[in-house]
Amino acid sequence: MLLAHGIGGVRDLPVPDWLFFYGAGAVLVVSFAALAALWREPLLERGRRGRPLPAALQRLWGSPFLRVALSASSLALLVLVFLASLLGERSAQENLAPTFVWVVFWLGLVPLAVLLGDVWSVLNPWRAGADAVTWAWRALGRQYQPPFSYPERLGRYPATVLLLSFATLELAYSQPSDPRALALAIFLYSAITWAGMALFGRRAWLDNGEAFTSYFGILALLSPLAANEGRLVVRWPLVGLATPARRPGTTAFLAVMLGSVLFDGFSRTTFWQDRFYRVQVELIERPSLAELAGILLNLLGLLLAVAVVGLAFVAAVRAASLLGGGEGMLEGAFVHSLVPIALVYAIAHYFSLFVLQGQAAIRLASDPFGRGWDLFGSASFTPDLGLLTPNTIWYVQVGALVAGHVAGLAVAHDRAVSLFRSPRLAAASQYPMLVLMVAYTVAGLWVLSQG
């Protein structure tokens, strides 16, 4: 079973790993110098309106029939995956649920959001379920008013807690691919999401409390496609990041996005594995306690990784504000510079898992419950595990990390020249961000090289 987190292997590189680290750092320094010399006005802000797409595409994008069909299909998939996890074979190899949740959904929607924009607003099955109930309620001639107004000060913090819970299941729990564990997780998340919408209203809870709306919505800021004043427009890929993040909790949410992936890689290093198994060995005569200790140790590591990533960003922003002559904290102004990094962390750690394990979905689609069915004639499909070599994986990882951090520097620099009084102060304010980006890059590469 390939359902680990990322696929690597023994590499045969022409140069040692440390040269990649120095090379990546050098690329960031050169990029920083080029930005300071050539990028002296806020260029991203100018392209926020975008260019409207042709009328035929506008009609397709706004088609009520298409939206209803996609929403209904998504809700049906949620029900299918839940039933498969609850009633299907217990083996993760034979049950559709683990591959669908951890690969098709969690990884497969990332490129869709980056390429096509906020597709999750249409594909969200929990929204589809709430919309269906609302439509039926109104058809009966009744109106529903949520009993509470969502407190603005909470912002994205509920979504942050739920995303951290999802990461805990994936990275800290001992059996994240157990179908029964996934059934319980789907049930609990569905109950919390629909209860949140019932208490605070669909729009308020989706924007603030639903973890995947925030996750895929933030990644969709990178997309060349966006909705603007009711029209579908095309724009430069980074333009969506030019708007400051004013919603409380956005920094914490991005810290979870980055820190969870960083810990995923770190948890597979020899350093962490030695300590993890030492705890297991000490409690080997009490298996249940050993499992619990392992879960708690992983949870502690996950929380520390999130805290380190978040605090490093906050410290860099505070230093940037002081060097640029700004007043107060500027987290909201600069936090979107972390979005390209969140994307490339996900690519670097998981693209091989998506390419290789994603093939298993073809076979499992014909037999989602593991009952020996062949609904679509693909039950005998055999994945090609030779599609990616370890060297290919490494080069993609290095390229993605460097490109993402350069993009992060560009976004931060664009915000700086918009905020500070002169290009000189703007450039000076970005030295801490350069240090941060180099640290993130080297840390990411080191973790990947050790896994």
Side-chain angles (χ1 to χ4, degrees):
M1 181 67 174
L2 287 176
L3 210 55
H5 295 158
I7 306 299
V10 179
R11 302 184 303 271
D12 182 21
L13 300 174
V15 296
D17 289 347
W18 63 266
L19 276 181
F20 286 94
F21 302 163
Y22 280 104
V27 170
L28 291 176
V29 171
V30 171
S31 300
F32 175 84
L35 289 169
L38 303 175
W39 197 317
R40 305 177 74 83
E41 296 179 3
L43 302 179
L44 295 180
E45 290 184 358
R46 296 179 181 176
R48 279 188 294 181
R49 293 183 61 84
R51 179 181 300 177
L53 290 177
L57 291 177
Q58 299 286 355
R59 288 193 297 270
L60 178 63
W61 173 71
S63 168
F65 175 79
L66 178 62
R67 286 177 171 259
V68 169
L70 291 174
S71 297
S73 299
S74 181
L75 181 58
L77 268 175
L78 174 65
V79 174
L80 172 65
V81 172
F82 174 70
L83 291 177
S85 62
L86 182 65
L87 304 174
E89 285 294 314
R90 194 72 181 259
S91 168
Q93 292 179 325
E94 303 302 325
N95 194 304
L96 173 66
T99 294
F100 186 89
V101 170
W102 298 122
V103 181
V104 178
F105 163 70
W106 184 232
L107 305 182
L109 281 179
V110 170
L112 285 182
V114 173
L115 294 175
L116 302 179
D118 189 16
V119 294
W120 183 245
S121 63
V122 178
L123 298 178
N124 188 337
W126 295 284
R127 176 176 180 172
D131 287 347
V133 171
T134 300
W135 178 85
W137 196 254
R138 289 176 178 171
L140 295 174
R142 309 184 70 173
Q143 295 291 328
Y144 178 78
Q145 185 65 31
F148 302 103
S149 296
Y150 189 83
E152 290 188 10
R153 67 181 182 278
L154 286 182
R156 280 196 169 105
Y157 286 111
T160 302
V161 172
L162 288 174
L163 184 66
L164 182 61
S165 301
F166 185 77
T168 299
L169 173 63
E170 178 191 14
L171 305 175
Y173 184 56
S174 57
Q175 301 179 60
S177 295
D178 176 25
R180 302 301 182 263
L182 288 176
L184 178 59
I186 293 170
F187 173 79
L188 292 175
Y189 189 86
S190 299
I192 291 170
T193 301
W194 281 324
M197 286 190 274
L199 293 173
F200 300 107
R202 285 174 294 167
R203 187 72 269 160
W205 186 257
L206 288 170
D207 288 344
N208 298 283
E210 206 276 289
F212 304 118
T213 296
S214 288
Y215 182 80
F216 296 118
I218 286 174
L219 290 176
L221 295 174
L222 291 161
S223 176
L225 297 177
N228 189 351
E229 298 178 353
R231 298 182 300 173
L232 188 63
V233 301
V234 61
R235 61 192 183 180
W236 291 104
L238 297 178
V239 164
L241 303 176
T243 305
R246 296 185 173 89
R247 192 171 301 165
T250 300
T251 298
F253 192 88
L254 275 158
V256 173
M257 288 176 66
L258 284 167
S260 59
V261 179
L262 188 64
F263 173 70
D264 187 9
F266 185 72
S267 67
R268 286 175 283 133
T269 63
T270 302
F271 175 86
W272 187 264
Q273 289 294 316
D274 286 346
R275 281 148 184 80
F276 181 85
Y277 287 114
R278 188 179 304 164
V279 170
Q280 300 287 295
V281 169
E282 290 177 355
L283 299 170
I284 194 170
E285 296 181 356
R286 305 177 65 182
S288 298
L289 186 58
E291 181 181 12
L292 177 61
I295 292 172
L296 293 177
L297 181 63
N298 280 333
L299 177 58
L300 176 62
L302 173 61
L303 294 175
L304 286 174
V306 170
V308 168
V309 167
L311 291 175
F313 171 75
V314 170
V317 169
R318 182 175 292 276
S321 178
L322 293 174
L323 290 173
E327 297 181 359
M329 286 295 295
L330 297 174
E331 285 182 36
F334 288 108
V335 73
H336 281 161
S337 65
L338 298 181
V339 178
I341 303 170
L343 171 63
V344 298
Y345 264 39
I347 292 172
H349 283 77
Y350 302 128
F351 90 97
S352 57
L353 175 63
F354 179 69
V355 171
L356 299 178
Q357 178 65 24
Q359 298 175 69
I362 299 172
R363 175 179 61 83
L364 294 169
S366 281
D367 188 16
F369 290 80
R371 300 290 196 236
W373 303 341
D374 193 5
L375 300 176
F376 305 110
S378 61
S380 60
F381 176 81
T382 302
D384 181 1
L385 305 185
L387 285 176
L388 300 173
T389 67
N391 276 17
T392 299
I393 294 171
W394 174 248
Y395 289 131
V396 171
Q397 290 171 333
V398 173
L401 284 177
V402 173
H405 287 82
V406 170
L409 276 177
V411 173
H413 183 80
D414 187 81
R415 297 301 305 143
V417 296
S418 174
L419 291 169
F420 298 118
R421 294 187 297 272
S422 70
R424 183 183 62 82
L425 286 176
S429 73
Q430 293 307 288
Y431 286 113
M433 299 303 291
L434 172 62
V435 173
L436 179 71
M437 297 300 177
V438 171
Y440 280 172
T441 302
V442 173
L445 288 175
W446 180 83
V447 164
L448 288 169
S449 70
Q450 299 297 310

